[in-house]
Amino acid sequence: YLVIVLMFFWRLYLDFPGTKDLPNGSEEKDKNVSDIKVKKWVDGKDIDTISATINAVHESVCNSGGHINRDWEYLCAEHFVKRATQLLLQGEQVNVVQIGAHIGFDANDPLAKGLSGILDKVTSITNATKLRKLFHWTFVEPSPPNFKRLEANLKKNEHICDMKSINAAVVSDLAKNPGEMVFYGISSTIDPETGFDSKSNQKLPYW
C-alpha cells in the first residue's frame, strides 16, 4: 500500500509551489516574509524562526536514523515533510489518503510513524495543538476483519489528528464489473494485527 500512498504524496507535492518557495534561511527572508501568512499561534515569529521550525521537523522525521529514515527516503527527498509543515504553520489544510491501510498504526507501518512524527514535532515546537485539526487523514481498507480492527485503532489514536475510515476497495476505472470482483483475504483464524493463526498455532512473518 505504501507505493500507492507515495504516488498520492507526489501529486500533493506537485500541486503546490516548488521547493524554491520554501523558507531556507535569512537569504530567503525578503522573498518569503510576505508569502508565509501564519496564524495567531505563530504570530510574531520572524522568518528565520519559522524556517528553523520547518527544518527541525524535517530533521526529526528524515534524519533520525532507523527504518523511518529509509522508508521515507523519497518523501524526504522531495521535501514533503517541509511542505506539509509549512502548510500547517500557514494555517492551511493538509489531506492524506492512505489506500490499503490494513489495521492502521501497525508496529511496522512507517507511514503512520512518520506522519505522527511530523504532527508531534510541529505541535511540540509551536505548543499549538490546534494544528492537529488541520491535518485530515483518511484510511481506506477493503477487508472487513481488517477494517473492524482499523476502526478500533483509529479510536485509540484519535488525538493525533482528524481521521476517518472508509471500508472500500480501490480499483482501476478500466476494470470490468468492479462491483463483482473477487476479493482475496487471509483466513479469519489469523489475527490481522499479530499475525497469529489460532488454527495452526503459527505466526506469520512481520511483513
Side-chain angles (χ1 to χ4, degrees), residues 44-56:
K45 301 293 190 303
D46 60 30
I47 188 65
D48 292 326
T49 301
I50 297 170
S51 177
T53 299
I54 294 173
N55 289 330

Side-chain angles (χ1 to χ4, degrees), residues 35-85:
D35 295 335
I36 299 183
K37 300 175 181 178
V38 294
K39 298 298 182 180
K40 62 181 180 180
W41 49 79
V42 288
D43 276 351
K45 301 293 190 303
D46 60 30
I47 188 65
D48 292 326
T49 301
I50 297 170
S51 177
T53 299
I54 294 173
N55 289 330
V57 174
H58 182 271
E59 285 293 313
S60 176
V61 175
C62 298
N63 298 323
S64 60
H67 65 279
I68 292 181
N69 184 23
R70 293 194 299 272
D71 290 323
W72 276 65
E73 179 180 352
Y74 296 107
L75 291 177
C76 292
E78 298 303 331
H79 298 282
F80 168 78
V81 176
K82 287 187 176 182
R83 191 59 178 149
T85 302

Side-chain angles (χ1 to χ4, degrees), residues 4-188:
I4 299 177
V5 177
L6 287 176
M7 292 172 63
F8 172 83
F9 280 148
W10 179 245
R11 177 61 184 274
L12 175 73
Y13 170 72
L14 292 178
D15 284 344
F16 292 110
T19 54
K20 63 180 183 298
D21 295 323
L22 288 170
N24 193 30
S26 58
E27 68 275 10
E28 296 288 333
K29 184 172 182 178
D30 294 337
K31 178 180 178 181
N32 290 288
V33 164
S34 61
D35 295 335
I36 299 183
K37 300 175 181 178
V38 294
K39 298 298 182 180
K40 62 181 180 180
W41 49 79
V42 288
D43 276 351
K45 301 293 190 303
D46 60 30
I47 188 65
D48 292 326
T49 301
I50 297 170
S51 177
T53 299
I54 294 173
N55 289 330
V57 174
H58 182 271
E59 285 293 313
S60 176
V61 175
C62 298
N63 298 323
S64 60
H67 65 279
I68 292 181
N69 184 23
R70 293 194 299 272
D71 290 323
W72 276 65
E73 179 180 352
Y74 296 107
L75 291 177
C76 292
E78 298 303 331
H79 298 282
F80 168 78
V81 176
K82 287 187 176 182
R83 191 59 178 149
T85 302
Q86 183 186 14
L87 289 172
L88 290 173
L89 293 177
Q90 290 175 198
E92 301 289 342
Q93 310 290 325
V94 176
N95 293 279
V96 171
V97 178
Q98 184 173 347
I99 299 174
H102 195 228
I103 60 171
F105 299 95
D106 288 289
N108 64 334
D109 182 355
L111 188 63
K113 292 177 182 294
L115 294 181
S116 299
I118 291 174
L119 290 165
D120 289 344
K121 193 67 176 180
V122 171
T123 54
S124 174
I125 293 175
T126 63
N127 195 30
T129 57
K130 291 181 180 179
L131 290 172
R132 293 183 181 275
K133 296 181 180 179
L134 300 176
F135 200 100
H136 310 287
W137 194 348
T138 300
F139 297 76
V140 182
E141 171 56 44
S143 169
N146 290 353
F147 184 76
K148 183 177 181 180
R149 189 68 63 87
L150 170 65
E151 287 189 305
N153 283 339
L154 295 193
K155 186 67 175 178
K156 294 177 183 178
N157 293 279
E158 60 184 359
H159 64 281
I160 293 177
C161 63
D162 173 43
M163 297 185 289
K164 68 177 180 179
S165 56
I166 299 176
N167 188 198
V170 178
V171 299
S172 170
D173 291 337
L174 302 178
K176 297 180 179 179
N177 302 319
E180 300 179 1
M181 296 180 69
V182 176
F183 180 80
Y184 295 94
I186 62 176
S187 170
S188 59

